[in-house]
Amino acid sequence: MIRDQLLDAVRQGMVALGVADPPDSIVVERPARREHGDWSTNAALVCSKIVGTNPRELGQALADYLEANRPPHVDALEIAGPGFVNFRLAPTWLHDVLVEAVTAGPDGYAKPNLGDSSSVNVEFVSANPTGPLHAGHGRWAAYGDSLCRIFARCGYAPHAETYVNDRGVQINTYAGSLLARKNGEPVPEGGYQGEYIIEWAGEMPDDITTPSEAAGWGMEFALNDQKEALAAMHVAFDTWSSERAAVDAGLLDSALQRLKEGGHVYEDGGATWLRTTDFGDDKDRVLIKSDGDYTYLTPDIGYHENKFERGDLVIDILGADHHGYVARMSAALQALGHPKDAYEAIIGQNVKLMRDGAEVKLSKRAGDIVLLSELVDEVGPDVARFAYLMQSIDTSLKIDIDLLKKESSENPVFYVQYANARIHAIGRKAAELGIERQPLADTDLGLLVHERELDLLRVVSELPDVLESACADRAPHKITAWVRELAAAYHGFQHDCYVLRDDVPADLQQARLWLVESARVGLTIGLDLLGVHAPESM
RNA sequence: GCCCCCGUAGCUCAGUGGAUAGAGCAUCGGUUUCCUAAACCGUGUGCGGCAGUUCGAUUCUGCCCGGGGGCACCA
């Protein structure tokens, strides 16, 4: 890659200038402003202290060295600002990017091996089996699924998992609520008030009369409902883990036993405690209540321990209301002997759903929830996923349902989908005209010199870096942002550069057809990472 | 009181230890005998505040202010 070639040259230059061991903080990057060249290095600023000269002088010396030992594609060098060395490259470096992209294709371009096949277990959604998924859950579904796609492309072996809390008090509450509604009675105090309970109770067979029967039937019904909603969004899990099954399999007992053997457990006030403060938690946590029942934490520890069988790295994707959970789970897993960095919790901020200009509450106990299935029905899985992935997971997400339903330029999804449709329209039109793309080797890419053409290739060239960063930062929204940039560059290109019109010379036409292909490769990869399908015509 | 996230343009959000901080929408104006105008081009205001670290801070650290979410022998 061009950047590595430039960086190598810069580092060699610094060695030649007396920096025995050039620091890693030397970078070659794309300057924010085009006037500052195609690439730029901070080497002189970083190394000036080591050499004892001022950055501008060192920069000049570096520029002189590079002038004499010119890396590929470099047209001109200049020193600027406080001591940056800027590279101006011939367009040939972008033509190389085109060749790389279309040769590797959607399966091979932008495929960094960061994970070296190590496995990563990603748990997300994990809703209680006591009701339907609401529109807020969609964020975790879209995020988790996209993150797994990113991991997979970056050389990891991801395992998508969701956890079903199918035991505990909320199940009894749920069963009680179902039975009460079945009998036409108001739900008990603290029960589930949602409209769906009435509806679901109506579907419950008459021979179900006991709480335990209602619980069994209700959980299965809820799970099926959730699976349908996720399937409509094209989200699938490798594993659905049942809390009850984990307890029955003895995962809880064996984890508890090992914690005791490790000396991390003590009794106090009739309860059994885990000394999580030894591993950074701010207070110890109860494992077994004084009434003999486990807290929610205890089976969760057993379950998390078990997840290491399905991942070298275990990641939980949790809502902001669970952030207090992280320190105790991390402490428990460390007490079981796992390295601190083998467990990672990603805390996502909440979803605010707007409809008719007002916020819609998403609480399951309140009446008017917007179901995930409703949202996906209304706008489709692609629009929904794109909307969920537009923002950083660290920010609360406002989703305006009215806006998503509008198929207009106010809705960014269509901008991207339209770019995809136009790319494919070129292909259709070319076929209609009997124009075929000739072998790449016979194509003169040197004809691609229009600013729009080069801008498009610049965006294509950035995908590998964007992907690495999206993976390292667990940030699918960086892919969304890149896809929007690519669409913008493509629309700009297509506006100013004709491909198939009569007056386009045949050799330029060929080069542009390959350019369109490189955009197709990039867009295909980007949209696939988001799990968003784009229609070939609109 | 403690913990987590956020505070960037009128709105919704990107972004970065660096050289003049971006995009979409909204406003106003312009572009089409031509591969989808669902497009393109032009048009202004902005890093909540105060210190510190640094050659350089919107970015890192501390404090303050503001918004959201947590602080159970609930899950």
Side-chain angles (χ1 to χ4, degrees), chain A residues 419-461:
Chain A
N420 190 65
R422 290 178 106 180
I423 287 170
H424 285 89
I426 296 266
R428 284 191 297 271
K429 182 79 176 177
E432 217 174 90
L433 297 171
I435 297 172
E436 287 182 20
R437 218 166 42 211
Q438 302 303 311
L440 187 59
D442 299 340
T443 306
D444 183 6
L445 297 177
L447 297 169
L448 300 175
V449 291
H450 194 287
E451 240 351 91
R452 296 290 207 175
E453 296 168 330
L454 299 179
D455 280 342
L456 179 52
L457 286 172
R458 275 185 201 99
V459 178
V460 171
S461 80

Side-chain angles (χ1 to χ4, degrees), chain A residues 271-421:
Chain A
T272 301
W273 296 72
L274 178 63
R275 197 173 284 109
T276 54
T277 49
D278 283 353
F279 298 94
D281 199 3
D282 55 359
K283 55 174 291 203
D284 290 339
R285 304 294 165 177
V286 171
L287 292 173
I288 305 174
K289 295 185 272 185
S290 50
D291 67 5
D293 282 347
Y294 295 114
T295 64
Y296 74 95
L297 183 62
T298 315
D300 271 16
I301 293 170
Y303 166 60
H304 274 71
E305 161 85 340
N306 176 256
K307 284 202 288 187
F308 282 100
E309 290 181 7
R310 298 181 293 281
D312 303 322
L313 170 64
V314 167
I315 295 180
D316 282 346
I317 296 169
L318 301 168
D321 55 339
H322 280 73
H323 104 268
Y325 173 93
V326 177
R328 64 198 71 162
M329 181 55 67
S330 176
L333 294 173
Q334 288 175 69
L336 285 166
H338 297 284
K340 192 170 193 293
D341 60 5
Y343 171 71
E344 184 179 321
I346 297 171
I347 303 298
Q349 299 301 308
N350 296 334
V351 176
K352 271 187 205 157
L353 212 56
M354 310 296 286
R355 174 171 258 163
D356 303 327
E359 182 175 353
V360 187
K361 291 289 176 198
L362 290 174
S363 166
K364 202 179 287 182
R365 287 161 207 251
D368 64 339
I369 59 177
V370 175
L371 301 183
L372 178 59
S373 55
E374 287 174 341
L375 179 70
V376 173
D377 277 352
E378 286 188 39
V379 306
D382 298 310
V383 171
R385 290 181 67 129
F386 199 93
Y388 281 126
L389 295 174
M390 287 223 295
Q391 287 182 211
S392 158
I393 202 75
D394 288 337
T395 65
S396 69
L397 176 65
K398 266 177 215 149
I399 288 193
D400 184 333
I401 300 180
D402 305 310
L403 178 74
L404 289 189
K405 281 162 76 174
K406 273 191 226 166
E407 297 198 0
S408 77
S409 57
E410 288 171 72
N411 187 343
V413 189
F414 294 102
Y415 186 76
V416 174
Q417 293 194 330
Y418 182 45
N420 190 65

Side-chain angles (χ1 to χ4, degrees), chain A residues 29 35 38 62 81 206 226 273 373 404 441:
Chain A
E29 57 191 353
E35 307 93 271
D38 296 297
L62 178 62
D206 291 338
Q226 293 180 8
W273 296 72
S373 55
L404 289 189

Side-chain angles (χ1 to χ4, degrees), chain A residues 67-89:
Chain A
E67 197 74 52
N69 303 273
R70 225 173 247 231
H73 305 293
V74 171
D75 255 2
L77 287 146
E78 68 199 20
I79 175 130
F84 292 100
V85 174
N86 296 336
F87 300 87
R88 287 183 198 283
L89 271 54

Side-chain angles (χ1 to χ4, degrees), chain A residues 72-257:
Chain A
H73 305 293
V74 171
D75 255 2
L77 287 146
E78 68 199 20
I79 175 130
F84 292 100
V85 174
N86 296 336
F87 300 87
R88 287 183 198 283
L89 271 54
T92 47
W93 82 274
L94 289 167
H95 303 150
D96 282 3
V97 168
L98 191 162
V99 171
E100 193 188 338
V102 301
T103 304
D107 291 334
Y109 183 61
K111 212 166 187 181
N113 182 16
L114 305 181
D116 203 19
S117 299
S118 66
S119 55
V120 47
N121 185 287
V122 186
E123 182 198 328
F124 53 103
V125 179
S126 299
N128 286 338
T130 57
L133 298 179
H134 57 64
H137 289 114
R139 186 175 203 190
W140 317 127
Y143 176 87
D145 189 72
S146 178
L147 189 58
C148 284
R149 288 161 181 267
I150 289 168
F151 273 131
R153 195 166 186 97
C154 291
Y156 291 87
H159 189 97
E161 178 149 348
T162 193
Y163 187 51
V164 182
N165 287 102
D166 51 6
R167 57 183 287 284
V169 297
Q170 81 281 1
I171 299 300
N172 299 334
T173 306
Y174 174 50
S177 302
L178 279 175
L179 284 172
R181 289 300 195 185
K182 178 83 181 167
N183 299 329
E185 298 158 8
V187 296
E189 182 129 355
Y192 291 101
Q193 302 288 343
E195 290 289 311
Y196 73 91
I197 291 283
I198 299 170
E199 201 179 306
W200 289 10
E203 300 199 30
M204 192 160 66
D206 291 338
D207 58 357
I208 287 177
T209 53
T210 68
S212 107
E213 286 168 349
W217 179 89
M219 284 192 290
E220 191 185 343
F221 193 91
L223 274 180
N224 284 334
D225 186 84
Q226 293 180 8
K227 283 180 184 178
E228 268 181 43
L230 290 165
M233 241 185 108
H234 305 147
V235 171
F237 289 97
D238 298 307
T239 300
W240 288 71
S241 282
S242 149
E243 176 180 354
R244 181 178 295 186
V247 171
D248 290 348
L251 299 183
L252 183 158
D253 294 328
S254 66
L256 191 54
Q257 186 58 36

